[in-house]
């Protein structure tokens, strides 16, 4: 979601125009060199680039050569204005629509509201709690294969695990634990649309990454078709009573409610499946990987976490979740330091003024969640992994948008409850049985090797040692 690919519909106007009166445009940060170098610098180290951009001001602009200015809004109040208070002045950038069609992540306005209303029942807290046992079953199935002394790339392991969970719960089809490789590869390849080499080049250039993306998407759509056909005739008369996404979508189609929900065609239903598979696994995968890194690198926190999961009477259940306080805070703190969606893009639909600076329209703006969540104005010792900071009243004292790993306003992540439950159950399931040691090398500043791609990920191939407890 942190993409800044050139967006053909986001036309670039000549410097200096675009409305907003005589107010100045935000400055180019003085510490990032000449704007013509911004793109290269950003490619070299995206996270450091973002950090430095906000060192002096909350509202700044940077430039992507040939693509125009991007406006960065680094205060929670800006996030609130963009996502909630003045959301009609901002739209989603069209990258996602180009990639995924007309699913919930991309559509706008009335159609978005209809799709959101249709899907929401599957994602309420109560409904999500009913997936807990199914989630743990999938996790056990995978963890059972781990052996004392294994060296593992946990990110890759969690990619498989989150797909297992997503398919078995929301999509109603259990994946083969050792197989379904074509589908697993296809789900991973959905991220290829957003790799840096792609956003530098016009859309028609056939890069290997784009080819992989197209093949991946075609495979997922084939699978979606197969699943929708398989379920045809078997859906509940009232789609709102559906147990899973597949029944819901088939039910909407068969009951004729599809037209009312904007999901008019099979094409739309497929888009919806691709969207959920894309949005619903990688984010949780990276959160789990960073949480394991954080536990392995913070022995005191790990000891408290292990003591907590050892108190459970067997595999974790929905009833245990409320008692998993340390685990909950480990997840919360991981999402603060390593938000998978580390920056959220939007495009202005009319000129706006932020901190006295004018932002023309249409222009790309970026909400840098990672920066804001590491800002010392809002968090003490912001770079420290300290789950206990959430023990007291921090949440109620914080600006509502100073911690927003799931976004905010009406378009807040629909999968939030699902992801939080899954992350806590996965950590507890693993923690009960295995101890984790980090075998990778941290950066000079003690941070894990991180790759800010489509989501914030651990660099590929980083290993952990797992030992039986
Ligand atoms: C830790 C895990 C997750 C994180 C950090 C995360 C983050 C986000 C964020 C920041 C947004 C807002 C995007 C925007 O405003 O442009 C979003 C939207 C969305 N997420 Fe998640 N997400 C996670 C897990 C999930 C899961 C598990 C699912 C589905 C099973 C999911 C499905 C979606 C969908 C469909 C949207 C679009 C919602 C809308 O526009 O109404 N996400 N997510």
């Amino acid at each position: 979601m942190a993409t800044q690919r050139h967006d053909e519909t986001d036309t670039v106007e000549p410097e200096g125009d675009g409305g907003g009166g005589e107010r100045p445009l935000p400055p180019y940060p003085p510490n990032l060199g000449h704007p013509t170098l911004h793109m290269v610098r950003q490619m070299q180290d995206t996270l450091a680039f973002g950090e430095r951009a906000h060192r002096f001001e909350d509202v700044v602009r940077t430039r992507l050569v040939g693509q125009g200015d991007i406006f960065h809004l680094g205060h929670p109040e800006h996030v609130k204005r963009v996502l909630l208070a003045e959301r009609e002045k901002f739209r989603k950038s069209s990258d996602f629509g180009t990639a995924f069609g007309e699913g919930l992540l991309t559509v706008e306005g009335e159609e978005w509201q209809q799709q959101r209303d249709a899907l929401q029942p599957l994602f309420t807290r109560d409904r999500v709690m009913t997936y807990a046992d199914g989630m743990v079953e999938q996790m056990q199935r995978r963890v059972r294969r781990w052996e004392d002394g294994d060296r593992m790339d946990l990110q890759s392991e969690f990619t498989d695990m989150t797909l297992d969970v997503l398919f078995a719960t929301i999509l109603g089809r259990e994946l083969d634990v050792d197989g379904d490789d074509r589908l697993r590869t296809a789900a991973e390849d959905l991220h290829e649309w957003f790799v840096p080499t792609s956003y530098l080049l016009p859309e028609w250039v056939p890069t290997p990454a784009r080819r992989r993306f197209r093949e991946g998407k075609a495979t997922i759509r084939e699978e979606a078709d197969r699943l929708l056909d398989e379920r045809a005739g078997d859906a509940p008369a009232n789609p709102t009573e559906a147990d899973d996404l597949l029944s819901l979508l088939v039910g909407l189609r068969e009951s004729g409610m599809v037209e009312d929900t904007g999901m008019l065609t099979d094409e739309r239903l497929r888009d919806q499946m691709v969207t959920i598979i894309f949005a619903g696994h990688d984010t949780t995968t990276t959160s789990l990987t960073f949480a394991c890194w954080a536990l392995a690198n913070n022995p005191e926190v790990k000891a408290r976490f292990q003591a907590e999961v050892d108190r459970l009477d067997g595999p974790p259940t929905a009833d245990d979740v409320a008692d998993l306080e340390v685990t909950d805070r480990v997840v919360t703190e991981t999402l603060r330091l390593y938000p998978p969606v580390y920056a959220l893009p939007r495009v202005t639909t009319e000129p706006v003024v932020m901190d006295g600076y004018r932002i023309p329209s249409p222009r790309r703006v970026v909400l840098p969640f990672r920066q804001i969540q590491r800002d010392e104005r809002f968090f003490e010792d912001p770079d420290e992994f300290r789950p206990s900071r959430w023990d007291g009243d921090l949440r109620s004292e914080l600006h509502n948008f100073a911690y927003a790993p799931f976004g905010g306003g009406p378009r807040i992540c629909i999968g939030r409850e699902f992801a939080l439950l899954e992350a806590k159950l996965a950590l507890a399931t693993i923690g009960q049985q295995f101890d984790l040691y980090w075998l990778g090398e941290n950066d000079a500043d003690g941070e894990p090797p991180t790759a800010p791609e489509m989501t914030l990920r651990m660099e590929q191939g980083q290993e952990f040692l797992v030992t039986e407890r």
Side-chain angles (χ1 to χ4, degrees), residues 1 83 92 104-105 112 116 123 166 170 275-276 279-281 283-284 287 335 340-341 344-346 369 404-407 410-416 418-419 422:
M1 299 180 198
L83 297 183
K92 293 226 170 182
L104 185 62
L105 201 53
W112 167 77
R116 180 96 187 192
F123 291 97
L166 193 67
I170 297 194
T275 297
I276 296 291
H281 85 283
T283 41
T284 316
S287 317
L335 289 171
V341 181
L344 197 63
R346 288 288 192 269
F369 290 157
F406 292 98
R411 297 205 73 147
I412 194 167
C413 176
I414 199 171
R416 182 178 175 277
F418 187 95
E422 182 178 6

Side-chain angles (χ1 to χ4, degrees), residues 116-186:
R116 180 96 187 192
D117 290 348
L119 296 187
Q120 191 68 56
L122 286 180
F123 291 97
T124 60
R125 181 175 296 199
D126 286 350
R127 177 63 76 88
V128 162
M129 280 300 177
T130 67
Y131 304 139
D133 289 349
M135 286 180 175
V136 172
E137 198 182 314
Q138 294 301 315
M139 292 160 186
Q140 295 283 21
R141 204 172 65 130
R142 192 153 285 284
V143 170
R144 224 174 276 134
R145 299 143 45 94
W146 296 9
E147 285 182 9
D148 189 35
D150 275 351
R151 296 168 68 107
M152 281 200 195
D153 174 351
L154 281 184
Q155 188 156 265
S156 153
E157 192 66 9
F158 289 144
T159 301
D160 281 328
M161 184 189 277
T162 53
L163 277 176
D164 292 342
V165 167
L166 193 67
F167 269 82
T169 54
I170 297 194
L171 297 171
R173 133 132 153 76
E174 186 168 82
L175 294 181
D176 182 348
V177 72
D178 278 318
D180 277 316
D181 288 345
R182 192 161 162 262
L183 193 63
R184 293 181 192 277
T185 308

Side-chain angles (χ1 to χ4, degrees), residues 4-8 39 43 64-65 67 95 193 195-210:
Q4 297 177 351
R5 272 189 61 252
H6 179 41
D7 189 331
E8 285 182 353
M39 176 133 74
M43 295 290 291
L64 284 186
V65 178
Q67 303 180 27
D95 292 339
W193 188 258
V195 298
T197 49
S198 297
Y199 68 67
L200 290 174
L201 297 166
E203 253 159 44
W204 52 266
V205 178
T207 65
R210 285 180 181 159

